[in-house]
């Protein structure tokens, strides 16, 4: 019933897929020279249009026998649209590619970009996917202690299968040494609709009380409790601070209800929570989720996209 009541408000093909293919069709662009677009699956929803799923890869790298030297470089993953309604993450991933900024990392790193993980939710401006599941809690890699199968969505299943298969041998068996995952950055927003719509909907779905923490006004990071990467997080926040404002810490030294590790920074156990950044490529040493507040009076849609790119 919930799925059938959702309305299409915008076009994934027009806003995301067509701009990607326009980049690739411009033979004079640095994008066309250095990157290729790969369809890694199709999202099929009963009663709805099938939606193609795309990733952008460095050209010719992830072919096991053809490019062993390139494949030996560390690989970073950038994802947008894990929550489909969080527009600046999707547009930020596209801008990262179209601006040429992604190309600058290629001498040192392989860069993989998935601009929109959840296109069904993008078109309907929804946090949840069609099965009324939060996709950013569905990147579980192992069963629970009571033996239940891990929570997955079609979106997370297909993305993880694709990423696990990169660098597979010709026999389609994964070579676990072929991809050195170094980093995963997942681009998100925290919006007023979280507080006004999605938190009440979650409480109603699960039969629980709503929690009442306010939306942080500004950009912040959700880092990982695993590892000691405070300097890396702080360097990112310093760079973003030149583009938009950083969310201040609350009087009780929390941010979005979590203890603040530093201004603009909270830490969570990402693999344990089955988050995209943490579960999609669990071997990555550096993982983080960005959060920007597009409804703030102190920023603009353009600033939010630029903050994601920074």
């Amino acid at each position: 019933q919930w799925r059938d009541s959702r309305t299409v408000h915008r076009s994934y093909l027009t806003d995301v897929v067509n701009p990607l293919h326009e980049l690739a069709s411009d033979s004079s662009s640095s994008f066309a020279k250095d990157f290729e677009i790969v369809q890694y699956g199709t999202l099929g929803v009963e009663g709805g249009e099938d939606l193609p799923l795309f990733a952008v890869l460095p050209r010719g790298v992830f072919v096991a026998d053809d490019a062993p030297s390139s494949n030996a470089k560390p690989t970073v993953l950038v994802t947008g649209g894990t929550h489909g309604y969080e527009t600046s993450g999707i547009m930020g991933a596209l801008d990262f590619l179209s601006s040429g900024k992604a190309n600058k990392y290629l001498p040192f790193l392989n860069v993989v970009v998935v601009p929109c993980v959840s296109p069904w939710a993008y078109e309907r401006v929804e946090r949840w996917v069609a099965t009324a599941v939060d996709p950013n809690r569905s990147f579980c890699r192992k069963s629970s202690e009571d033996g239940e199968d891990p929570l997955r969505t079609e979106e997370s299943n297909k993305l993880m299968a694709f990423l696990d298969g990169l660098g597979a041998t010709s026999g389609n068996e994964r070579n676990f040494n072929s991809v050195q995952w170094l980093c995963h950055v997942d681009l998100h927003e925290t919006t007023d609709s979280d507080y006004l719509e999605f938190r009440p909907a979650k409480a109603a779905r699960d039969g629980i009380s709503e929690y009442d923490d306010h939306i942080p006004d500004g950009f912040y990071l959700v880092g990982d409790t695993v590892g000691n990467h405070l300097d890396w997080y702080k360097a990112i926040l310093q760079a973003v601070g030149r583009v938009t404002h950083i969310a201040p810490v609350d009087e009780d030294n929390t941010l979005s209800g979590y203890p603040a590790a530093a201004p603009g920074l909270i830490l969570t156990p990402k693999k344990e929570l089955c988050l995209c950044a943490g579960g999609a490529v669990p071997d990555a040493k550096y993982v983080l989720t960005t959060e920007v507040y597009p409804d703030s009076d102190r920023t603009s849609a353009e600033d939010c996209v630029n903050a994601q790119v920074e």
Side-chain angles (χ1 to χ4, degrees), residues 95-177:
D95 193 67
F96 180 58
L97 294 166
S98 64
S99 66
K101 291 184 177 180
N103 303 68
K104 296 179 180 179
Y105 292 95
L106 293 178
F108 320 102
L109 301 165
N110 293 320
V111 178
V112 176
V113 180
V114 181
C116 188
V117 174
S118 302
W120 183 91
Y122 173 81
E123 293 199 324
R124 290 156 181 81
V125 196
E126 292 290 340
R127 179 182 181 89
W128 296 342
V129 297
T131 51
V133 172
D134 185 337
N136 203 34
R137 300 295 185 274
S138 70
F139 285 82
C140 301
R141 284 288 181 170
K142 60 181 180 180
S143 301
S144 62
E145 292 181 359
D146 59 9
E148 291 186 4
D149 290 336
L151 176 65
R152 299 275 181 82
T153 63
E154 186 177 1
E155 290 84 351
S156 64
N157 264 329
K158 290 189 173 180
L159 180 57
M160 287 191 289
F162 168 69
L163 296 171
D164 287 351
L166 286 180
T169 65
S170 57
N172 207 30
E173 295 179 0
R174 185 185 176 196
N175 176 358
F176 285 91
N177 296 319

Side-chain angles (χ1 to χ4, degrees), residues 87 125 138 184 254:
T87 306
V125 196
S138 70
H184 179 189
T254 64

Side-chain angles (χ1 to χ4, degrees), residues 24 43 59 119 150 156 161 167 252:
L43 187 66
R59 184 170 294 280
S156 64
D252 61 354

